[in-house]
mmCIF file of all heavy atoms in Angstrom:
data_model
loop_
_atom_site.group_PDB
_atom_site.id
_atom_site.type_symbol
_atom_site.label_atom_id
_atom_site.label_comp_id
_atom_site.label_asym_id
_atom_site.label_seq_id
_atom_site.Cartn_x
_atom_site.Cartn_y
_atom_site.Cartn_z
ATOM 1 N N VAL V 458 111.183 111.776 114.879
ATOM 2 C CA VAL V 458 111.856 110.631 114.132
ATOM 3 C C VAL V 458 113.371 110.639 114.578
ATOM 4 O O VAL V 458 113.994 111.604 114.513
ATOM 5 C CB VAL V 458 111.717 110.739 112.634
ATOM 6 C CG1 VAL V 458 112.422 109.559 111.958
ATOM 7 C CG2 VAL V 458 110.215 110.756 112.260
ATOM 8 N N THR V 459 113.746 109.430 114.901
ATOM 9 C CA THR V 459 115.291 109.138 115.078
ATOM 10 C C THR V 459 115.701 108.120 114.166
ATOM 11 O O THR V 459 115.076 107.180 113.887
ATOM 12 C CB THR V 459 115.534 108.698 116.462
ATOM 13 O OG1 THR V 459 115.310 109.834 117.416
ATOM 14 C CG2 THR V 459 117.043 108.308 116.684
ATOM 15 N N VAL V 460 116.859 108.306 113.519
ATOM 16 C CA VAL V 460 117.359 107.281 112.615
ATOM 17 C C VAL V 460 118.602 106.716 113.353
ATOM 18 O O VAL V 460 119.369 107.413 113.917
ATOM 19 C CB VAL V 460 117.824 107.722 111.200
ATOM 20 C CG1 VAL V 460 116.584 108.161 110.405
ATOM 21 C CG2 VAL V 460 118.851 108.781 111.121
ATOM 22 N N ALA V 461 118.776 105.406 113.184
ATOM 23 C CA ALA V 461 119.879 104.740 113.977
ATOM 24 C C ALA V 461 120.470 103.620 112.988
ATOM 25 O O ALA V 461 119.686 102.906 112.416
ATOM 26 C CB ALA V 461 119.377 104.160 115.294
ATOM 27 N N GLY V 462 121.775 103.418 113.250
ATOM 28 C CA GLY V 462 122.497 102.322 112.509
ATOM 29 C C GLY V 462 123.984 102.585 112.481
ATOM 30 O O GLY V 462 124.399 103.540 113.141
ATOM 31 N N PRO V 463 124.704 101.807 111.748
ATOM 32 C CA PRO V 463 126.140 102.041 111.676
ATOM 33 C C PRO V 463 126.378 103.355 110.900
ATOM 34 O O PRO V 463 125.638 103.672 109.941
ATOM 35 C CB PRO V 463 126.650 100.884 110.813
ATOM 36 C CG PRO V 463 125.512 99.966 110.536
ATOM 37 C CD PRO V 463 124.232 100.631 110.982
ATOM 38 N N PRO V 464 127.417 104.090 111.203
ATOM 39 C CA PRO V 464 127.732 105.460 110.689
ATOM 40 C C PRO V 464 127.895 105.263 109.063
ATOM 41 O O PRO V 464 127.509 106.239 108.410
ATOM 42 C CB PRO V 464 129.090 105.859 111.233
ATOM 43 C CG PRO V 464 129.223 105.075 112.549
ATOM 44 C CD PRO V 464 128.301 103.791 112.445
ATOM 45 N N THR V 465 128.387 104.178 108.636
ATOM 46 C CA THR V 465 128.521 103.979 107.185
ATOM 47 C C THR V 465 127.221 103.810 106.438
ATOM 48 O O THR V 465 127.135 103.949 105.165
ATOM 49 C CB THR V 465 129.408 102.727 106.858
ATOM 50 O OG1 THR V 465 128.938 101.646 107.613
ATOM 51 C CG2 THR V 465 130.869 103.024 107.260
ATOM 52 N N LEU V 466 126.071 103.602 107.156
ATOM 53 C CA LEU V 466 124.840 103.399 106.529
ATOM 54 C C LEU V 466 123.748 104.488 106.830
ATOM 55 O O LEU V 466 122.615 104.303 106.681
ATOM 56 C CB LEU V 466 124.176 102.008 107.021
ATOM 57 C CG LEU V 466 124.906 100.809 106.358
ATOM 58 C CD1 LEU V 466 124.242 99.490 106.895
ATOM 59 C CD2 LEU V 466 125.081 100.845 104.996
ATOM 60 N N ILE V 467 124.275 105.568 107.330
ATOM 61 C CA ILE V 467 123.519 106.767 107.648
ATOM 62 C C ILE V 467 124.036 107.973 106.841
ATOM 63 O O ILE V 467 125.201 108.343 106.901
ATOM 64 C CB ILE V 467 123.482 107.119 109.105
ATOM 65 C CG1 ILE V 467 122.751 105.932 109.871
ATOM 66 C CG2 ILE V 467 122.661 108.445 109.414
ATOM 67 C CD1 ILE V 467 122.477 106.086 111.349
ATOM 68 N N PRO V 468 123.265 108.552 105.895
ATOM 69 C CA PRO V 468 123.720 109.749 105.092
ATOM 70 C C PRO V 468 124.143 110.871 106.027
ATOM 71 O O PRO V 468 123.571 111.085 107.075
ATOM 72 C CB PRO V 468 122.484 110.142 104.227
ATOM 73 C CG PRO V 468 121.616 108.935 104.344
ATOM 74 C CD PRO V 468 121.869 108.211 105.549
ATOM 75 N N GLN V 469 125.268 111.526 105.617
ATOM 76 C CA GLN V 469 125.858 112.479 106.422
ATOM 77 C C GLN V 469 125.017 113.648 106.944
ATOM 78 O O GLN V 469 125.059 114.116 108.065
ATOM 79 C CB GLN V 469 127.134 113.037 105.683
ATOM 80 C CG GLN V 469 128.255 113.502 106.553
ATOM 81 C CD GLN V 469 129.525 113.875 105.818
ATOM 82 O OE1 GLN V 469 129.435 113.835 104.549
ATOM 83 N NE2 GLN V 469 130.451 114.325 106.475
ATOM 84 N N TYR V 470 124.166 114.218 106.004
ATOM 85 C CA TYR V 470 123.517 115.453 106.455
ATOM 86 C C TYR V 470 121.984 115.125 106.666
ATOM 87 O O TYR V 470 121.116 115.977 106.432
ATOM 88 C CB TYR V 470 123.708 116.478 105.366
ATOM 89 C CG TYR V 470 125.091 116.854 105.240
ATOM 90 C CD1 TYR V 470 125.835 116.499 104.054
ATOM 91 C CD2 TYR V 470 125.749 117.635 106.300
ATOM 92 C CE1 TYR V 470 127.180 116.929 104.002
ATOM 93 C CE2 TYR V 470 127.157 117.924 106.271
ATOM 94 C CZ TYR V 470 127.878 117.517 105.040
ATOM 95 O OH TYR V 470 129.133 117.856 104.990
#
Side-chain angles (χ1 to χ4, degrees):
V458 179
T459 290
V460 296
T465 49
L466 293 180
I467 296 190
Q469 208 174 359
Y470 299 109

